[in-house]
Amino acid sequence: MTNLELLEADQWFVDSPELKQFVATVQEISEQTRHNRSETVATLEPYFTALLAQQGWLPDQFAEPNPDSAMGGGIGQWLLYRAKDRSLTVFSLVIPPGSTTPVHDHLAWGLVGLYKGRQEETVYRRVDQGETEGHAKLEVVEVRQLKPGDIYYLLPPEGDIHAVKTTTRFAPSVSIHVLGNDTGCVLRNQYKPEQESVRSFRSGYSNAPCKEEKNHAQV
Ligand SMILES: [Fe+2]
């Protein structure tokens, strides 16, 4: 758990029976398999495949780029659902044509599935021991071409560091993320492999603050 406060209730940003049903399934399976996250993602995969195949449940505004993106490149990170205890989030990531995410990690188990467009994903592995602050040496593990319906797992440290580029020429790519943390709000890492450097960052979400808004609270 991070030092961020818990929410007062689950947050829903999309009113969709398909998403509600899927999240209920994720809650149940992730609880039953909490001691084995490989089992969690493998058990969830067919349900996630079914959700990705049901085009229509994601409102258009959550499939739009965000010109004010904190991640740069017009990348939109739209929160769809966040659990009260911040142990589960579902969000869409919208990458305009020609844009690439920074190389980054997620620090939690997860499933990512392509909903629209095409992407190229470069997966890295960290090969230094983290003994020097700000320094990180990465190796490319794999470069994958992804089409709608394709799913990959995040099981840190396996598959947890990557960069994603949209390869469709005229339309953004939209991927759906199911993560076992509050990914947009936790402090995670951004890497520059050529410079062998790493720094902390918080990506935030395009449509939700990290701190809960209270009477005089800061956002
Ligand atoms: Fe990612």
Side-chain angles (χ1 to χ4, degrees):
M1 183 61 60
T2 68
N3 58 1
L4 294 161
E5 81 261 42
L6 302 179
L7 299 169
E8 286 176 3
D10 282 4
Q11 294 178 310
W12 293 92
F13 298 85
V14 170
D15 184 18
S16 147
E18 292 92 341
L19 184 64
K20 281 227 158 66
Q21 179 60 53
F22 176 69
V23 167
T25 303
V26 177
Q27 295 280 25
E28 191 182 326
I29 290 173
S30 69
E31 172 62 20
Q32 285 165 357
T33 58
R34 65 187 178 281
H35 300 302
N36 183 346
R37 290 310 183 193
S38 300
E39 192 185 346
T40 303
V41 292
T43 309
L44 284 173
E45 182 170 351
Y47 297 97
F48 194 33
T49 296
L51 181 74
L52 293 171
Q54 290 169 359
Q55 300 275 321
W57 60 268
L58 185 71
D60 290 347
Q61 73 211 71
F62 297 93
E64 294 286 335
N66 175 15
D68 304 321
S69 167
M71 234 187 291
I75 296 170
Q77 186 170 353
W78 304 98
L79 191 57
L80 310 179
Y81 167 80
R82 178 160 56 184
K84 182 178 175 174
D85 66 358
R86 296 180 185 253
S87 66
L88 179 67
T89 52
V90 181
F91 56 90
S92 61
L93 192 78
V94 184
I95 308 175
S99 281
T100 306
T101 66
V103 180
H104 62 273
D105 60 16
H106 311 78
L107 307 178
W109 67 267
L111 290 152
V112 183
L114 200 56
Y115 186 68
K116 276 186 182 163
R118 291 192 180 243
Q119 292 181 346
E120 180 178 278
E121 184 205 16
T122 304
V123 185
Y124 296 85
R125 170 197 310 134
R126 187 166 181 170
V127 293
D128 71 310
Q129 304 302 315
E131 54 284 89
T132 310
E133 202 185 327
H135 179 265
K137 192 166 168 52
L138 303 187
E139 264 176 19
V140 174
V141 177
E142 196 181 356
V143 178
R144 293 193 281 226
Q145 307 299 326
L146 304 166
K147 60 183 188 312
D150 285 349
I151 289 171
Y152 55 88
Y153 299 163
L154 308 173
L155 287 166
E158 288 297 306
D160 194 38
I161 303 176
H162 71 174
V164 183
K165 168 167 92 179
T166 293
T167 52
T168 22
R169 287 179 63 193
F170 302 111
S173 66
V174 182
S175 54
I176 305 297
H177 292 60
V178 182
L179 262 298
N181 68 357
D182 190 2
T183 313
C185 294
V186 298
L187 262 186
R188 47 198 177 117
N189 300 296
Q190 209 174 91
Y191 302 86
K192 290 198 170 150
E194 321 74 44
Q195 297 167 18
E196 300 192 355
S197 67
V198 58
R199 70 175 183 89
S200 293
F201 86 116
R202 204 188 307 274
S203 62
Y205 297 104
S206 301
N207 60 329
C210 284
K211 290 197 173 179
E212 211 171 3
E213 293 184 60
K214 292 185 179 148
N215 291 340
H216 301 290
Q218 69 284 39
V219 175

